[in-house]
């Protein structure tokens, strides 16, 4: 397994966003999506006094990143957990308040590149797609057992796939002949099901379906919906959060949580806004920041990335 190929997305910008909160002695930073440890390694290297807590649901990622982060073992705690479990993890480690939180929501390079994981539509592999291979249902089970209406909903909601009905009709017809087990058969079915015009836009025609299946299998949006507010809640005053999203559904969710934290909750018309209605967050990015053209040229996986950041400016007041 060659770890050199893993290039963390928007790395320097993430470090710059978090830096002001991580220079204090005893600062704790959480990498909620450890993956192959690229962002974590950079955080430990750039901030010699910082303590890192890193989460991943993928045990293989934890093993590989553990090797990579071995030189920093005295300052790094790696935990097998999904990122919406953050408050429990921090509670168990005696660090309920932290100075920095980073999310990189992309599928890790390792998961995309390991053929037997089933994330990639460019090569034939078993339709698994579970980030934690010890739990949950696989993509094949979703395809083979979900009612047609539910599959259409998933493809539309999570893949923004306009041709969901056509694709699902073909899936249902084919699964009755033989259950789906591998990705190549699904890719071929999607190609055959789509009208010519739909094949001419937006890269591989299977991309949206694979994204939708991955989100469903891993409960990604439901997890994220719980995780971002939990992360904001775990920030100490002055603490900072940076979130890298890779599709509009994730980015919209992150935007809503951060925007709500940065807004006043006072009823309209108050001459003076009481403390408890004041914003908890200050936004650090104007809209979502995009990777530079140079970065995209070097690392095509950075192309869809959207980065948002915020700083905690006050405690909740009841």
């Amino acid at each position: 397994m060659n770890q050199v190929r893993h290039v963390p997305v928007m790395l320097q910008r993430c470090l710059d966003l978090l830096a002001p909160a991580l220079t204090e002695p005893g600062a704790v930073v959480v990498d909620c999506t450890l993956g192959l440890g690229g962002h974590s390694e950079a955080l430990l290297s750039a901030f010699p006094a910082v303590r890192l807590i890193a989460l991943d649901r993928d045990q293989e990622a934890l093993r590989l990143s553990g090797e990579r982060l071995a030189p920093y073992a005295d300052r790094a705690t790696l935990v097998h957990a999904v990122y919406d479990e953050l408050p429990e993890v921090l509670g168990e480690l005696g660090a309920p308040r932290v100075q920095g939180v980073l999310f990189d929501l992309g599928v890790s390079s390792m998961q995309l590149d390991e053929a037997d994981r089933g994330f990639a539509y460019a090569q034939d592999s078993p339709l698994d797609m579970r980030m934690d291979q010890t739990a949950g249902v696989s993509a094949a089970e979703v395809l083979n057992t979900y009612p047609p209406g539910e599959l259409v909903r998933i493809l539309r909601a999570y893949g923004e796939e306009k041709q969901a009905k056509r694709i699902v009709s073909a899936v249902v017809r084919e699964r009755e002949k033989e259950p789906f087990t591998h990705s190549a058969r699904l890719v071929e079915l999607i190609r055959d099901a789509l009208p010519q015009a739909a094949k001419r836009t937006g890269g591989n025609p299977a991309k949206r379906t694979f994204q939708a299946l991955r989100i469903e299998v891993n409960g990604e949006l439901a997890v994220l919906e719980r995780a971002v507010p939990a992360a904001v809640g775990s920030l100490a005053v002055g603490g900072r959060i940076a979130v890298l999203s890779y599709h509009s559904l994730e980015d919209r969710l992150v935007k809503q949580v951060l925007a709500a934290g940065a807004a006043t909750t006072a009823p309209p018309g108050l001459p003076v806004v009481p403390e408890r209605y004041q914003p908890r967050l200050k936004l650090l990015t104007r809209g979502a920041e995009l990777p530079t053209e140079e970065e995209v040229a070097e690392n095509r996986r950075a192309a869809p990335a959207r980065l948002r950041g915020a700083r905690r400016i006050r405690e909740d007041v009841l």
Side-chain angles (χ1 to χ4, degrees):
M1 175 83 203
N2 174 13
Q3 292 188 15
V4 176
R5 70 174 174 217
H6 174 59
V7 184
V9 171
M10 295 181 79
L11 178 60
Q12 192 54 51
R13 187 65 189 114
C14 289
L15 294 177
D16 292 347
L17 267 181
L18 296 172
L22 300 184
T23 49
E24 296 299 308
V28 177
V29 64
V30 183
D31 184 346
C32 287
T33 46
L34 174 62
L36 287 177
H39 284 109
S40 279
E41 183 179 44
L43 286 163
L44 287 161
S45 166
F47 307 105
V50 86
R51 177 184 165 206
L52 171 86
I53 298 169
L55 282 55
D56 208 293
R57 63 167 86 181
D58 188 324
Q59 298 209 343
E60 182 66 359
L62 287 164
R63 185 183 69 76
L64 291 165
S65 53
E67 292 171 8
R68 180 177 192 160
L69 302 178
Y72 306 99
D74 58 330
R75 294 194 285 129
T77 306
L78 311 189
V79 184
H80 182 229
V82 185
Y83 43 72
D84 65 339
E85 298 171 289
L86 178 64
E88 291 82 359
V89 170
L90 294 179
E92 283 169 21
L93 294 174
R97 283 282 190 269
V98 300
Q99 282 64 47
V101 179
L102 173 67
F103 286 88
D104 177 4
L105 299 170
V107 181
S108 89
S109 308
M110 177 195 69
Q111 289 162 342
L112 285 170
D113 294 343
E114 298 305 294
D116 62 351
R117 302 298 290 271
F119 286 95
Y121 37 78
Q123 54 194 357
D124 192 23
S125 57
L127 277 167
D128 190 321
M129 298 196 195
R130 288 173 300 164
M131 292 180 185
D132 180 352
Q133 290 191 296
T134 66
V137 298
S138 68
E141 287 175 76
V142 170
L143 274 177
N144 293 326
T145 64
Y146 277 31
E150 186 65 359
L151 285 175
V152 170
R153 183 193 69 77
I154 288 165
L155 263 58
R156 281 187 181 151
Y158 299 159
E160 300 175 283
E161 174 55 78
K162 294 184 178 71
Q163 304 293 333
K165 272 194 161 169
R166 275 178 186 254
I167 292 169
V168 169
S169 294
V171 164
V172 170
R173 196 168 57 242
E174 285 299 311
R175 78 185 186 185
E176 284 170 5
K177 297 176 192 168
E178 189 187 335
F180 284 89
T181 59
H182 281 66
S183 56
R185 182 175 167 218
L186 178 60
V187 171
E188 193 180 337
L189 174 146
I190 292 166
R191 282 190 197 282
D192 291 346
L194 293 184
Q196 279 306 120
K199 292 183 209 181
R200 284 197 287 270
T201 56
N204 191 310
K207 181 170 76 174
R208 290 178 293 278
T209 297
F210 273 66
Q211 173 182 300
L213 287 170
R214 192 196 81 222
I215 289 172
E216 171 65 17
V217 164
N218 296 291
E220 285 175 44
L221 290 178
V223 168
L224 188 61
E225 222 166 323
R226 296 188 294 268
V228 180
V232 167
S234 70
L235 286 175
V237 172
R240 291 174 168 232
I241 181 171
V243 187
L244 278 165
S245 310
Y246 293 81
H247 55 75
S248 58
L249 302 164
E250 289 175 341
D251 183 53
R252 199 176 308 145
L253 212 152
V254 174
K255 176 186 176 182
Q256 286 166 352
V257 174
L258 298 187
T264 174
T265 55
L270 290 184
V272 177
V273 177
E275 173 75 2
R276 69 178 181 277
Y277 297 132
Q278 299 281 4
R280 292 187 300 158
L281 297 178
K282 183 179 193 312
L283 299 181
L284 298 172
T285 46
R286 295 188 60 175
E289 292 187 6
L290 310 181
T292 61
E293 286 177 19
E294 294 77 26
E295 179 172 1
V296 173
E298 283 172 28
N299 178 13
R300 62 186 174 78
R301 286 184 184 155
R306 302 285 180 270
L307 176 64
R308 293 181 186 271
R311 176 167 63 92
R312 183 78 183 252
I313 54 174
R314 70 170 183 86
E315 281 290 357
D316 292 331
V317 179
L318 296 175

